């Protein structure tokens, strides 16, 4: 009987990663992410899966980002009863990310109901904090490189993927086949994370393609950040920085700390981290020393020079600081969270700056800002954009096209099929073309919902 993969997410888009492996009567789900961006994609989060969740025996996570883990509370609420396998750091991050995602959804629904701008009455969160807590009870941690059996007869192994704390590529051995899932691959020169491990041999590969049609420019985040923050500080403005709470926030805090230590930024420049989730994720760096590049001293130092806003009142109080300042707040694509309130305050101020720190999925507010739109819709209103909008080109935590190709090239032997996923259509197809042309290996971009024998 064939081993089959069904692409329930991450196909034709950069969000919602879900890959269902089926062999005989057993099913294993690799990743369980939420869709983000365009409304037609977000509506998939509320549509039932084409499989009953209790027919899935186990889930394996590549990492904790919400587009890879954020559907778990729904899966459990709808009947999944198995275990969710991941690395220890991914488990610790999910303990932070999933309840926070639920809280933000509950908060946004309550805000919409109070102000009446939702088309639904009442507006309901996708899932609740209680749903998130129930999902967390299913998590089981497993070390890198140590094989385990999530289902009897199925052998799974984690390999380091860089990208963020705890991120892994996943090798699944079942039915005489070796299936390799890249997860999100990091950069060789990442400020925080080590490079991805060399990949193992595999018969079929599922590889991400977020930057499948782009190369990262040469240079370092610290050097790119210095003149931008110096410029906004000199004119007395505020830098509003939408950040991903895991990975990007910590890289920027470390870079800003280094710039102050090098006296390239004023030590008095106020820096606010308006994200309890990012603060908790930063603390995890101390618990997982040796899994990233920073020393204990560097982690301590970067946390001492930032003011953390943990409560809504502390978040609102940031606006009372009149001098130049930097505000790091979630979410990274400005799709929700506290950064929206800061954007409403500072988008209309020509002295200020909105600093986008990574990939902005089409349909998100970050993408709208990046495209130079004169207005951005937030909480049912259009807000004029007078602030300077910039995008950092050196902050990405993803491998670029050359990095992805290099990882694929390092796979021993010749995989008989490579599936290119987790990228927008242009990026995915560009990587497919390079794989076929330069590696001379068969590659395809699967459609959402399609099933393939491997």
């Amino acid at each position: 009987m064939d081993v089959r993969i069904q692409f329930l997410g991450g196909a034709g888009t950069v969000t919602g990663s879900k890959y269902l492996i089926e062999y005989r009567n057993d099913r294993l789900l690799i990743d369980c992410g939420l869709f983000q961006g365009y409304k037609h994609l977000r509506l998939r989060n509320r549509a039932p899966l084409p499989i009953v969740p209790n027919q899935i025996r186990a889930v394996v996570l590549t990492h904790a980002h919400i587009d890879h883990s954020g559907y778990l509370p729904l899966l459990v609420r709808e009947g999944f009863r198995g275990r969710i396998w991941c690395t220890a750091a991914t488990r610790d991050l999910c303990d932070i990310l999933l309840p926070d995602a639920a809280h933000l959804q509950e908060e946004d629904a309550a805000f919409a109901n109070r102000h009446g701008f939702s088309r639904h009455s009442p507006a309901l969160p996708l899932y609740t904090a209680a749903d998130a807590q129930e999902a967390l009870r299913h998590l089981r941690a497993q070390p890198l490189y140590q094989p385990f059996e999530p289902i009897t007869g199925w052998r799974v192994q984690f390999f380091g993927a860089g990208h963020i704390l705890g991120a892994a590529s996943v090798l699944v051995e079942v039915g005489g086949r070796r299936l390799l899932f890249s997860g999100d691959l990091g950069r060789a020169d990442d400020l925080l994370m080590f490079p991805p491990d060399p990949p193992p041999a595999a018969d079929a590969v599922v590889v991400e393609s977020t930057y499948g049609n782009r190369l990262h420019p040469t240079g370092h985040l610290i050097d790119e950040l210095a003149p931008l923050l110096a410029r906004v500080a000199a004119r007395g403005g505020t830098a509003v920085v939408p950040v991903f709470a895991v990975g990007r926030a910590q890289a920027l805090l470390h870079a800003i700390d280094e710039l102050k230590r090098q006296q390239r930024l004023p030590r008095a420049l106020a820096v606010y981290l308006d994200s309890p989730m990012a603060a908790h994720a930063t603390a995890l760096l101390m618990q997982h020393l040796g899994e990233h590049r920073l020393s204990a001293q560097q982690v301590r130092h970067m946390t001492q020079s930032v003011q953390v806003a943990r409560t809504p009142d502390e978040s609102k109080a940031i606006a009372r600081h009149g001098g130049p300042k930097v505000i790091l707040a979630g979410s990274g694509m400005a799709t929700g969270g506290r950064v929206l309130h800061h954007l409403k305050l500072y988008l209309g101020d020509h002295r200020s700056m909105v600093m986008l720190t990574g990939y902005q999925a089409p349909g998100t507010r970050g993408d709208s800002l990046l495209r130079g739109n004169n207005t951005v819709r937030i909480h049912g209103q259009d807000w004029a954009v007078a602030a300077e909008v910039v995008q950092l080109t050196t902050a990405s935590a993803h491998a670029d096209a050359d990095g992805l190709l290099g990882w694929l090239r390092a796979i021993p032997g010749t995989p008989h099929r490579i599936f290119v996923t987790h990228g927008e259509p242009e990026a995915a197809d560009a990587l497919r073309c390079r794989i076929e042309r330069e590696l001379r290996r068969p590659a395809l971009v699967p459609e959402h919902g399609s099933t393939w024998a491997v």
Side-chain angles (χ1 to χ4, degrees), residues 429-448:
D429 198 58
L431 183 62
R432 178 195 63 80
C433 290
R434 287 194 64 183
I435 292 168
E436 293 187 336
R437 184 175 65 250
E438 298 176 37
L439 302 185
R440 300 186 182 280
R441 296 176 182 176
L444 61 91
V445 180
E447 294 184 3
H448 178 72

Side-chain angles (χ1 to χ4, degrees), residues 60-195:
V60 176
L61 295 182
T62 61
H63 65 292
H65 274 152
I66 290 299
D67 57 335
H68 293 259
S69 72
Y71 194 87
L72 287 172
L74 278 174
L75 192 76
V76 171
R77 191 177 73 193
E78 295 302 315
F80 173 76
R81 294 294 177 263
R83 292 181 174 178
I84 301 163
W85 299 88
C86 57
T87 65
T90 294
R91 176 202 59 201
D92 293 346
L93 286 170
C94 282
D95 283 346
I96 299 167
L97 285 167
L98 293 183
D100 188 84
H103 172 71
L104 288 176
Q105 290 174 47
E106 291 178 316
E107 203 173 56
D108 288 346
F111 189 91
N113 288 326
R114 284 197 306 272
H115 295 274
F117 61 78
S118 173
R119 295 180 182 178
H120 306 282
S121 183
L124 296 174
L126 196 60
Y127 51 80
T128 66
D131 296 328
Q133 290 299 332
E134 181 60 32
L136 292 172
R137 284 192 268 273
H138 293 250
L139 294 181
R140 298 292 185 275
Q142 191 69 21
L144 292 178
Y145 318 124
Q146 182 175 309
F148 62 99
E149 286 195 349
I151 303 170
T152 302
W154 295 54
R155 190 173 185 265
V156 173
Q157 202 170 355
F158 288 127
F159 296 84
H163 186 56
I164 65 167
L165 195 63
S169 299
V170 177
L171 177 67
V172 179
E173 297 177 76
V174 64
R177 294 294 188 182
R178 293 168 61 93
L179 316 179
L180 179 60
F181 296 80
S182 71
D184 283 359
L185 293 172
R187 304 172 61 162
D189 60 347
D190 191 89
L191 194 62
L192 295 185
M193 301 307 302
F194 296 119

Side-chain angles (χ1 to χ4, degrees), residues 19 32 107 310:
Y19 312 118
C32 191
E107 203 173 56
R310 299 187 184 276

Side-chain angles (χ1 to χ4, degrees), residues 13 15 35-47 117-120 335 361-365:
T13 179
T15 67
F35 288 97
Q36 299 167 307
Y38 288 127
K39 185 174 182 178
H40 76 274
L41 292 176
R42 289 183 278 114
L43 287 174
R44 290 180 183 172
N45 295 326
R46 296 187 181 271
F117 61 78
S118 173
R119 295 180 182 178
H120 306 282
T335 54
T364 62
R365 289 186 187 87

Side-chain angles (χ1 to χ4, degrees), residues 348-363:
D349 183 356
H350 69 277
R351 300 172 303 165
S352 292
M353 176 185 290
V354 178
M355 186 180 292
L356 302 170
T357 59
Y359 181 80
Q360 304 297 312

